[in-house]
Amino acid sequence: MEELILKAQNISRDYAIGRRKVRALEPVDVEVDAGQFWVVTGPSGSGKTTLLNLLSGFDRPTDGIVEFRGTSLASLSDFKVAQLRNESFGFIHQTPHLMSHKTVLENVALPFLYGAWIGSTKVYQRSCEMLEYVGMLELQNRYPATLSGGEMQRVVFARALVRDPEVIFADEPTGSLDADNSGRILKLLRQQSELGRSVIMVSHDADAVKYGSYRLSLFKSKNAVVGAI
Ligand SMILES: Nc1ncnc2c1ncn2[C@@H]1O[C@H](COP(=O)(O)OP(=O)(O)O)[C@@H](O)[C@H]1O
Ligand SMILES: [Mg+2]
């Protein structure tokens, strides 16, 4: 049975620049079920990052509704949305952002600093488990500056998974990686969708699109189009 996780109904986003209105995202309708791997494509400036920000509650649409498990994000306080982002969503960006003065393990455990308290043994176990999953357990005591770009992105991946999220948002996650490291990240994302998580990934790369199951194509000055891959 399909389980609806995220639903966007006719969402768009305008920005006011002085008196001018700039449309950052043309209307989008999309329904994301558990275990689906969505790839968002479109030219630069078509609103891909804006869309991810709206679906993940980081930004609010000018028009339309975003629902997570049937609850409109607009009905939630900023605090509740922040809690939802921390506990139910994982994030991977093009450039891996890690805290430079914290070790690999401490970076992965960071999401546990916020929200409901969890015993430190459990935090340690879960963080190590995720580092092992991405093949980085042996480097747990290293500092980010001593890692390669591919290794950093795997640490970010482990951090994105550490709170057992329902949705993984990835904005051009392979944009700064070579082919080997890209393939590794894409395989992990596909595996996560097979495990039942929803994945929403922005990508320019035709090879990366193949890893997904559904495609959402964005355009400038035209509504988005949905299709199977
Ligand atoms: N905070 C903002 N203020 C004004 N315009 C913005 C803002 N964020 C994005 N935009 C504009 O919205 C459009 C879509 O941006 P973005 O979602 O970053 O596109 P993409 O990720 O597809 O390259 C661009 O024209 C961009 O300049
Ligand atoms: Mg972008």
Side-chain angles (χ1 to χ4, degrees), residues 48-50 171-172 202:
K48 302 182 296 295
T49 296
T50 301
D171 196 348
E172 306 199 34
V202 169

Side-chain angles (χ1 to χ4, degrees), residues 37 92 134 150 153-155 157 170 173-174 177 180-191 201 211:
F37 188 161
I92 304 168
V134 300
Q153 198 64 310
R154 281 189 275 148
V155 175
F157 206 112
T174 62
L177 302 179
D180 279 357
N181 280 302
S182 295
R184 210 163 170 161
I185 292 291
L186 290 165
K187 277 189 197 122
L188 289 173
L189 284 170
R190 187 162 63 191
Q191 197 168 59
M201 173 179 81
Y211 285 80

Side-chain angles (χ1 to χ4, degrees), residues 11-15 24-25 45-56 59 171 202 218:
I11 55 167
S12 60
R13 181 70 165 100
D14 296 329
Y15 286 105
L25 179 70
S46 59
K48 302 182 296 295
T49 296
T50 301
L51 175 66
L52 255 53
N53 289 341
L54 296 176
L55 293 176
S56 67
D59 186 18
D171 196 348
V202 169
L218 302 187

Side-chain angles (χ1 to χ4, degrees), residues 26 55 65 90 104 107 125 140 142 163-164 210 216:
E26 295 292 338
L55 293 176
I65 299 167
V104 161
N107 268 284
Q125 276 172 0
Q140 60 171 291
R142 293 266 288 268
R163 293 205 71 148
D164 195 13
K210 291 185 215 141
L216 182 63

Side-chain angles (χ1 to χ4, degrees), residues 2-138:
E2 254 108 72
E3 196 183 353
L4 181 61
I5 303 294
L6 266 181
K7 178 174 176 175
Q9 246 177 305
N10 205 35
I11 55 167
S12 60
R13 181 70 165 100
D14 296 329
Y15 286 105
I17 298 182
R19 287 185 170 190
R20 220 157 46 88
K21 196 179 80 172
V22 174
R23 173 141 276 203
L25 179 70
E26 295 292 338
V28 173
D29 279 295
V30 68
E31 293 191 5
V32 179
D33 289 339
Q36 288 183 340
F37 188 161
W38 281 82
V39 184
V40 180
T41 60
S44 181
S46 59
K48 302 182 296 295
T49 296
T50 301
L51 175 66
L52 255 53
N53 289 341
L54 296 176
L55 293 176
S56 67
F58 183 67
D59 186 18
R60 297 187 187 261
T62 307
D63 270 313
I65 299 167
V66 179
E67 288 176 1
F68 173 72
R69 290 191 167 281
T71 300
S72 163
L73 298 190
S75 73
L76 302 177
S77 65
D78 287 349
F79 177 79
K80 280 283 179 199
V81 172
Q83 194 174 34
L84 177 70
R85 286 169 54 80
N86 179 240
E87 292 178 2
S88 303
F89 298 161
F91 298 90
I92 304 168
H93 295 104
Q94 178 169 354
T95 317
H97 289 290
L98 296 165
M99 299 267 234
S100 58
H101 59 287
K102 291 193 182 293
T103 65
V104 161
L105 181 65
E106 287 165 347
N107 268 284
V108 172
L110 271 180
F112 285 115
L113 283 182
Y114 310 96
W117 188 80
I118 290 164
S120 57
T121 308
K122 208 169 159 204
V123 167
Y124 179 76
Q125 276 172 0
R126 176 77 186 158
S127 303
C128 285
E129 227 177 277
M130 291 304 104
L131 278 173
E132 186 163 32
Y133 173 66
V134 300
M136 289 292 292
L137 186 59
E138 264 144 55

